[in-house]
Amino acid sequence: MTHPSVIEQIGGAEAVRALTERFYDLVETLPEGEQILRLHLRGHGMAHVRQAQFDFLHGFFGGRRLYNETHGPMNLRDIHAHIPIRPQDAKDWLSCMQIALDDTGIDPAIGAQIMVTFTRAAQMLINQAP
């Protein structure tokens, strides 16, 4: 018996899109998002990152690996290697994502599982001293 993927459990691509959009709306408006926004604006900009994040999460949650098809390998360390990420940046990213999960109505039990994985990933990406 196979278990449903996370993307199936949260409501498919529409839920991933809603989560991505809400997350970046928060990044653009909350104090916690200020540094994340600044980093993205130095790069390809918000329209690009919103699509790239959707593509990444779609595959990360068990759907079609859109990021891999469009941008290449889904290696988080490689994707973020050029970005200075402090412990506070990881904490702020996680804070915005938790709010986005709550705001988009994702089942809290599934959201908690997602946050465990996101927390491990965010900690792994820290590459700057506090």
Side-chain angles (χ1 to χ4, degrees):
M1 181 173 144
T2 61
H3 296 285
S5 64
V6 171
I7 197 169
E8 292 168 329
Q9 293 177 58
I10 66 172
E14 299 80 21
V16 177
R17 176 66 69 193
L19 177 63
T20 302
E21 293 300 325
R22 182 64 184 140
F23 172 77
Y24 282 109
D25 289 348
L26 293 165
V27 165
E28 290 180 344
T29 57
L30 292 180
E32 295 92 328
E34 187 176 334
Q35 178 62 12
I36 298 164
L37 177 61
R38 187 175 297 122
L39 290 169
H40 284 307
L41 291 177
R42 277 194 247 160
H44 297 290
M46 295 307 291
H48 170 84
V49 77
R50 283 176 185 257
Q51 185 60 48
Q53 179 84 347
F54 169 80
D55 292 348
F56 185 89
L57 291 179
H58 194 277
F60 186 76
F61 289 155
R64 189 168 144 203
R65 295 171 61 96
L66 301 171
Y67 188 93
N68 197 344
E69 294 172 16
T70 307
H71 306 285
M74 292 177 51
N75 182 310
L76 278 176
R77 279 186 187 252
D78 289 346
I79 293 167
H80 294 88
H82 66 287
I83 303 167
I85 300 173
R86 305 166 301 154
Q88 186 63 47
D89 300 327
K91 182 178 175 184
D92 291 343
W93 191 97
L94 291 165
S95 175
C96 290
M97 184 54 76
Q98 181 63 67
I99 296 167
L101 285 164
D102 294 342
D103 287 356
T104 53
I106 290 175
D107 179 281
I110 298 167
Q113 294 171 351
I114 290 169
M115 285 304 294
V116 167
T117 303
F118 282 166
T119 299
R120 278 196 302 259
Q123 295 300 314
M124 175 192 75
L125 293 177
I126 294 170
N127 58 18
Q128 301 287 307

